[in-house]
């Protein structure tokens, strides 16, 4: 191709082909950066602070792939290596970390763009699927949080770009992307193994030469488990544990096989995929759109749809993930399903496009619902990391620690995780000098009674809401559901700060509340003995 022809191709691109990815990526990243700019300097939060940042920090300082300052839970090391590289280039600052994670989120959205083009064949469907994925509160919140899930989601979606379409599938390329996902987080293996199982079934149902092709596809997808086995073998040789420390394994797997617990968790997972954080809006609109007849194009033909085989693959991938994460994971964190939400939205937008005149209005309405979900909490309990509530929690913790620094520097502080980590690890961005801590699991009645039995172990308490409890619980399935959540999913109720101060015979000196989250500072005027707790085992 001549230089003049190449220049003309760039300046006058064909409108019937997708925009080149090198043009789309900087647009996605720039829009993500602008929309997250107020979050980039926030210190680290929750499992960032509890595991992922300490693990990456240890690798950055020592070159050890096994965490030193926190107990290993055997997560593969790719996120740690990636973050350490950025810190080496740009310095160890929260904004560097969050910008690096934004790049991974942008890579994931680029995969959504390409995947929608390949399976739906429409630039408009691709555009709105990317917009809705970007604005969906869970994806938006995770786009700057340095946790393995956004890495695994981005790489898994690129694997699906080459594994999901009916034609021109490239299982070798898909396997490389799935391997990167598995080396980011081990649970990403569920997607290639589901595809391998489906390819195996197709192989046995097909005649030659199609059988051989399906079996080769299955081998490539199943082969993604090999690097994970190698990692676990190396991890065992260094730590004596295959799947992480025993407490982590029991919490996230061994205690989760009761049938009642599985059914309750599976019900939660279905709601996470179809209703949580205003996902019910596009879900209900999709059901309504399916009642309409497909629209016709200018030639009188029905508008194109996602292929039946692709839809079946999407369905089984969603089902497998819902079932898999009903067993693995002690907490029902929605970020475990992060690569699934773009698939749900792709099906929804494609259905709108095929069946509804002026369908962009439905996509815009869904986008409005997601924007509202970023700022308005649902009328039920949820994890703050599912929307921008996590930023409010971080700012509350920062305010409480600032008051502690101002009023009682150097004191021994009674608190619970994650504040205990925030007070003892300056690299997390909350303190410059670490505090000694007396650690509780939470601020329930039993834990406060335990603290009352050792009044000499602390001189100050920094207490806070460890669970989001909405002021009015509009959506409640009743006492039986709450009992299941308490038994299986860690639901508990913290005492209010006034009650804690009364039980521990302290003085409530400062308190702040924001959107049903609170933090308070309590002082005890008595002699105490310094008590230092060991670091909290990683989740």
């Amino acid at each position: 191709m001549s230089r003049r022809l190449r220049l003309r191709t760039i300046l006058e691109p064909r409108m019937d082909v997708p925009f080149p990815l090198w043009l789309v990526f900087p647009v996605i990243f720039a829009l993500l950066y602008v929309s997250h700019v107020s979050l980039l300097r926030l210190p680290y939060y929750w499992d960032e602070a509890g595991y992922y940042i300490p693990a990456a920090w240890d690798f950055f300082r020592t070159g050890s792939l096994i965490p030193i300052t926190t107990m290993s839970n055997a997560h593969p090391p790719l996120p740690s290596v990636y973050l350490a590289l950025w810190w080496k280039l740009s310095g160890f600052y929260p904004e560097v970390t969050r910008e690096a994670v934004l790049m991974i989120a942008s890579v994931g959205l680029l995969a959504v763009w390409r995947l929608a083009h390949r399976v739906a064949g429409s630039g408009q469907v691709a555009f709105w699927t990317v917009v809705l994925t970007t604005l969906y509160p869970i994806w938006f919140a995770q786009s700057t949080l340095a946790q393995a899930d956004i890495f695994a989601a981005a790489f898994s979606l690129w694997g699906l770009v080459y594994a999901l379409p009916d034609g021109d599938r490239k299982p070798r390329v898909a396997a490389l992307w799935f391997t990167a996902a598995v080396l980011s987080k081990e649970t990403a293996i569920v997607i290639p193994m589901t595809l391998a199982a489906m390819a195996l079934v197709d192989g046995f149902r097909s005649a030659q030469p199609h059988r051989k092709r399906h079996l080769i596809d299955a081998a490539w997808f199943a082969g993604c488990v090999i690097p994970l086995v190698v990692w676990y073998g190396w991890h065992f040789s260094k730590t004596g544990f295959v799947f992480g420390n025993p407490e982590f394994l029991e919490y996230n797997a061994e205690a989760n096989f009761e049938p009642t617990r599985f059914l309750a968790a599976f019900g939660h997972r279905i709601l996470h995929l179809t209703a949580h954080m205003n996902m019910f809006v596009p879900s209900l609109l999709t059901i309504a759109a399916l009642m309409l007849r497909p629209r016709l194009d200018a030639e009188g033909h029905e508008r194109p749809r996602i292929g039946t085989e692709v839809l079946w693959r999407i369905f089984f991938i969603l089902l497998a993930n819902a079932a898999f994460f009903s067993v693995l994971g002690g907490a029902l964190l929605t970020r475990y399903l992060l690569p699934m939400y773009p698939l749900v939205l792709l099906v929804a937008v494609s259905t709108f496009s095929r069946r509804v005149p002026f369908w962009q209005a439905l996509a815009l309405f869904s986008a409005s619902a997601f924007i509202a979900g970023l700022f308005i909490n649902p009328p039920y309990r949820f994890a703050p990391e599912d929307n921008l509530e996590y930023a409010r929690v971080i700012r509350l913790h920062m305010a409480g620690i600032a008051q502690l620094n101002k009023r009682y520097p150097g004191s021994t502080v009674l608190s619970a995780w994650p504040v205990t980590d925030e007070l003892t690890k300056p690299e997390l961005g909350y303190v410059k000098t670490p505090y000694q801590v007396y650690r509780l699991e939470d601020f329930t009645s039993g834990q406060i009674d335990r603290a009352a039995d050792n009044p000499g172990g602390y001189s100050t308490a920094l207490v806070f809401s460890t669970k989001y409890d909405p002021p009015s619980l509009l959506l409640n399935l009743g006492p039986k559901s709450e009992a299941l959540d308490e038994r299986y999913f860690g639901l508990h109720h913290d005492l209010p700060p006034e009650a804690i101060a009364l039980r521990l015979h302290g003085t409530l000196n400062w308190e702040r509340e924001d959107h049903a989250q609170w933090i308070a500072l309590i002082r005890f005027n008595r002699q105490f003995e310094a008590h230092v707790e060991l670091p909290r085992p990683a989740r």
Side-chain angles (χ1 to χ4, degrees):
M1 183 184 292
S2 68
R3 182 179 301 176
R4 179 176 297 179
L5 184 57
R6 286 199 301 268
L7 181 61
R8 182 175 180 181
T9 302
I10 293 173
L11 296 178
E12 299 178 11
R14 290 172 53 191
M15 299 308 293
D16 60 339
V17 297
F19 286 109
L21 299 182
W22 62 267
L23 282 178
V24 178
F25 179 80
V27 174
I28 290 175
F29 179 75
L31 293 175
L32 268 186
Y33 186 91
V34 170
S35 60
H36 287 79
V37 69
S38 65
L39 306 171
L40 298 180
R41 294 180 179 272
L42 291 177
Y44 301 114
Y45 170 73
W46 207 250
D47 283 349
E48 282 188 308
Y51 184 81
Y52 293 109
I53 294 302
W57 174 242
D58 290 341
F59 177 74
F60 175 65
R61 292 182 302 116
T62 69
S64 173
L65 294 175
I66 305 296
I68 299 170
T69 59
T70 188
M71 295 181 68
S72 176
N73 59 19
H75 283 325
L78 189 56
S80 294
V81 175
Y82 173 80
L83 292 176
L85 175 63
W86 275 100
W87 295 338
K88 186 71 173 178
L89 294 174
S90 304
F92 180 71
Y93 304 103
E95 55 266 39
V96 172
T97 305
R98 304 208 180 283
E99 288 164 3
V101 177
L102 269 182
M103 293 194 71
I104 297 296
S106 301
V107 169
L109 292 174
L110 191 66
V112 174
W113 169 270
R114 189 72 184 102
L115 178 63
H117 267 290
R118 294 201 71 193
V119 303
S122 167
Q124 293 190 63
V125 170
F127 171 80
W128 280 107
T129 304
V130 170
V131 168
L132 291 179
T133 301
T134 303
L135 295 175
Y136 184 55
I138 297 172
W139 185 283
F140 189 95
Q142 295 299 319
S143 292
T144 54
L145 293 178
Q147 300 174 141
D149 306 271
I150 191 67
F151 292 80
F155 299 144
S156 295
L157 288 166
W158 270 109
L160 291 173
V161 167
Y162 296 102
L164 206 55
D166 277 328
D168 193 29
R169 269 184 283 173
K170 299 178 180 178
R172 297 181 185 182
V173 180
L176 290 175
W177 283 108
F178 287 138
T179 298
V182 166
L183 291 178
S184 297
K185 193 169 187 184
E186 65 282 357
T187 51
I189 194 64
V190 66
I191 297 177
M193 293 305 289
T194 301
L195 291 169
M198 296 185 70
L200 200 61
V201 171
D202 289 341
F204 287 121
R205 292 171 54 190
S206 304
Q208 295 292 1
H210 299 293
R211 173 176 294 179
K212 181 179 179 181
R213 180 174 62 83
H214 287 307
L215 295 180
I216 291 174
D217 288 356
W220 277 110
F221 296 142
C224 298
V225 77
I226 295 174
L228 188 59
V229 171
V230 172
W231 161 252
Y232 279 139
W234 187 82
H235 185 273
F236 176 77
S237 72
K238 297 294 183 180
T239 67
F241 304 119
V242 177
F243 300 113
N245 67 82
E247 181 179 329
F248 169 81
L249 184 61
E250 180 181 6
Y251 177 76
N252 285 282
E254 292 177 352
N256 300 342
F257 287 96
E258 289 187 34
T260 303
R261 196 264 182 201
F262 173 81
L263 292 175
F266 189 74
H268 279 284
R269 290 309 191 189
I270 297 301
L271 290 174
H272 290 164
L273 288 171
T274 60
H276 185 49
M277 282 299 161
N278 294 346
M279 184 65 86
F280 71 88
V281 173
S283 297
L284 292 178
L285 291 176
T286 301
I287 294 172
L290 287 171
M291 299 178 185
L292 303 177
R293 300 176 71 86
R295 295 190 298 146
L296 304 179
D297 59 21
E299 297 178 357
H301 301 128
E302 289 187 357
R303 293 182 178 269
R305 52 170 288 179
I306 298 176
T308 302
E309 291 297 321
V310 175
L311 287 173
W312 276 114
R313 290 186 199 107
I314 291 174
F315 172 77
F316 279 112
I317 288 171
L318 293 173
L319 184 65
N321 274 266
F324 185 75
F325 288 112
S326 297
V327 175
L328 293 187
L332 292 175
L333 298 177
T334 57
R335 70 171 190 259
Y336 296 165
L337 298 171
L338 201 57
M340 298 298 101
Y341 302 119
L343 300 183
V344 174
L345 293 170
L346 172 58
V347 172
V349 174
S350 176
T351 305
F352 299 164
S353 172
R354 187 169 189 255
R355 295 176 180 269
V356 181
F358 307 107
W359 60 271
Q360 292 90 342
L362 301 186
L364 185 61
F365 182 60
S366 300
S368 301
F370 289 169
I371 292 173
L374 282 170
F375 302 97
I376 302 174
N377 292 337
Y380 53 83
R381 298 182 182 94
F382 76 108
E385 66 176 6
D386 287 356
N387 69 357
L388 292 179
E389 183 69 16
Y390 86 88
R392 296 192 188 104
V393 174
I394 291 176
R395 292 181 177 115
L396 273 178
H397 289 193
M398 293 173 67
I401 292 172
Q403 290 294 320
L404 177 66
N405 289 334
K406 178 181 177 181
R407 297 170 184 246
Y408 313 115
S411 57
T412 298
V413 184
L414 178 146
S415 196
W417 187 83
V419 167
T420 47
D421 280 0
E422 295 164 5
L423 291 174
T424 57
K425 298 179 178 179
E427 63 269 20
L428 299 181
Y430 292 86
V431 297
K432 294 183 179 180
T433 303
Y435 281 83
Q436 292 183 334
V437 297
Y438 184 99
R439 185 172 66 84
L440 301 179
E441 292 298 320
D442 47 51
F443 302 106
T444 55
S445 180
Q447 288 291 301
I448 296 303
D449 288 342
R450 174 193 147 199
D453 290 338
N454 186 20
Y458 46 88
S459 58
T460 307
L462 188 59
V463 298
F464 60 97
S465 49
T466 60
K467 296 282 186 181
Y468 173 76
D469 234 341
S472 57
L473 197 62
L474 298 182
L475 296 182
N476 189 349
L477 299 180
K480 289 186 178 180
S481 175
E482 185 154 322
L484 286 174
D485 289 346
E486 290 177 352
R487 179 178 178 182
Y488 295 117
F489 307 125
L491 175 64
H492 61 262
H493 301 282
D494 296 313
L495 293 176
E498 298 84 1
I500 296 173
L502 183 63
R503 286 204 188 189
L504 298 181
H505 307 290
T507 304
L508 181 61
N509 288 337
W510 176 86
E511 180 182 6
R512 180 173 292 181
E513 183 175 349
D514 187 7
H515 284 74
Q517 301 272 6
W518 53 266
I519 192 166
L521 191 62
I522 302 172
R523 183 64 173 177
F524 306 97
N525 295 315
R526 57 178 177 241
Q527 296 293 324
F528 71 95
E529 299 175 1
H531 179 98
V532 183
E533 287 285 339
L534 294 175
R536 178 183 185 274
R539 296 175 59 195

